[in-house]
Amino acid sequence: GAVVSQHPSWVICKSGTSVKIECRSLDFQATTMFWYRQFPKQSLMLMATSNEGSKATYEQGVEKDKFLINHASLTLSTLTVTSAHPEDSSFYICSARETFSGGGDTQYFGPGTRLTVL
Amino acid sequence: RKEVEQDPGPFNVPEGATVAFNCTYSNSASQSFFWYRQDCRKEPKLLMSVYSSGNEDGRFTAQLNRASQYISLLIRDSKLSDSATYLCAVNPFEDSSYKLIFGSGTRLLVRP
C-alpha cells in the first residue's frame, strides 16, 4: 500500500508555543488530506479536510485560527497548533487520499504525532 | 445520536473462536464503508473496504446492510495477533466530501 509519513513522531513543548506537524504522501499525489485527533481510549475525530491549493474545511467546533492547515503541494500538508495548551495534548494523525484511474479511492494514514504540552 | 456507533467491547475470546462486530451509521446517503484495525498507540491500518455484495479476505468477511444501515465484520479462527481495536469508518458523502467518520472502535482480546 501507499506510504504516508508524519514528522515529528512525537513532540513535547511548553504552553504557549506553536508546533508544526508535517504530513507527506511518499509515493502518490494527494489532492486531499485529512487531519484527525485522538485522545486516549477515544476514537479518531476528524478536525479538517486539507485541500491542495485552497483553504481547509474545518469540522464544527474546530478553531481554524488555532489549528492552521496549509496544503501547498500535492504531497505535503502541514498542521500548526498555535499557542498550544495542555488540553491540546493528543495524538494527531493525518491521512492522504489516493485515487485510482479506474475509479475508487483509499485513504492511508500516517504514523501519527504524539503532542504533549507542558 | 452519533453518526457512527460501535459496541466498545472488549470482546474476550479464545484462539480459534469466531467473532463478529457490528457498526451502525445514521446517514442513509453514506457512500463508502471501511474496517480499520488499530493497535495500541499506532495509526489505523485499512483492513478491508466493505462492498454492497459483501466481501471476504481470508479469515475476514465484511457485510453491508443498507436497509438497516449497518456494516459487520466477521473474524473466523481468531489468532492471538488479531487482538486490537477495530474501527469502522463511513464516508457520509456530505458536500461531496471524501472525509471519513469513525466509530469509537471495538476492542478485541484473543486469549490462548
Side-chain angles (χ1 to χ4, degrees):
Chain A
V3 178
V4 176
S5 71
Q6 268 185 255
H7 177 80
S9 55
W10 61 269
V11 58
I12 301 173
C13 69
K14 292 182 179 180
S15 187
T17 60
S18 294
V19 175
K20 180 186 281 188
I21 303 170
E22 294 185 350
C23 177
R24 293 180 186 273
S25 55
L26 298 184
D27 52 2
F28 66 100
Q29 293 182 328
T31 55
T32 308
M33 293 185 176
F34 302 90
W35 286 97
Y36 295 84
R37 180 167 54 180
Q38 186 175 35
F39 293 106
K41 298 189 187 297
Q42 296 186 26
S43 189
L44 282 77
M45 295 299 295
L46 178 66
M47 299 175 68
T49 302
S50 174
N51 305 298
E52 188 267 336
S54 64
K55 290 182 180 180
T57 305
Y58 290 81
E59 294 299 300
Q60 193 172 11
V62 178
E63 299 174 59
K64 62 180 180 181
D65 294 329
K66 179 168 181 64
F67 299 100
L68 302 179
I69 291 172
N70 184 278
H71 194 153
S73 79
L74 287 171
T75 59
L76 173 64
S77 174
T78 61
L79 168 69
T80 302
V81 183
T82 62
S83 186
H85 291 284
E87 58 265 30
D88 297 323
S89 299
S90 188
F91 190 42
Y92 291 86
I93 312 175
C94 72
S95 71
R97 177 175 172 259
E98 181 180 28
T99 57
F100 305 113
S101 56
D105 65 286
T106 297
Q107 286 189 35
Y108 297 98
F109 283 83
T113 297
R114 200 161 296 279
L115 170 64
T116 301
V117 184
L118 302 177
Chain B
R1 183 186 173 189
K2 289 183 181 179
E3 286 191 74
V4 181
E5 292 198 72
Q6 290 182 255
D7 181 344
F11 284 60
N12 191 323
V13 302
E15 269 189 292
T18 295
V19 61
F21 308 135
N22 280 341
C23 168
T24 60
Y25 60 94
S26 61
N27 188 338
S28 60
S30 297
Q31 295 285 313
S32 308
F33 309 87
F34 307 89
W35 282 103
Y36 282 82
R37 169 195 169 128
Q38 186 175 28
D39 293 292
C40 189
R41 301 176 74 85
K42 300 283 189 180
E43 78 277 19
K45 292 196 184 295
L46 180 65
L47 186 62
M48 55 199 308
S49 303
V50 187
Y51 304 121
S52 297
S53 56
N55 46 304
E56 187 173 309
D57 182 3
R59 298 182 292 109
F60 299 85
T61 300
Q63 299 274 0
L64 166 63
N65 185 318
R66 283 194 182 273
S68 300
Q69 294 182 205
Y70 75 84
I71 62 173
S72 63
L73 176 68
L74 182 77
I75 304 176
R76 291 180 298 278
D77 189 23
S78 299
K79 311 290 185 192
L80 293 177
S81 57
D82 292 334
S83 297
T85 296
Y86 291 83
L87 302 165
C88 66
V90 175
N91 175 358
F93 206 58
E94 295 169 349
D95 302 321
S96 301
S97 167
Y98 297 98
K99 67 183 182 184
L100 293 179
I101 304 299
F102 282 83
S104 56
T106 298
R107 192 166 170 220
L108 172 65
L109 300 172
V110 181
R111 63 182 187 270

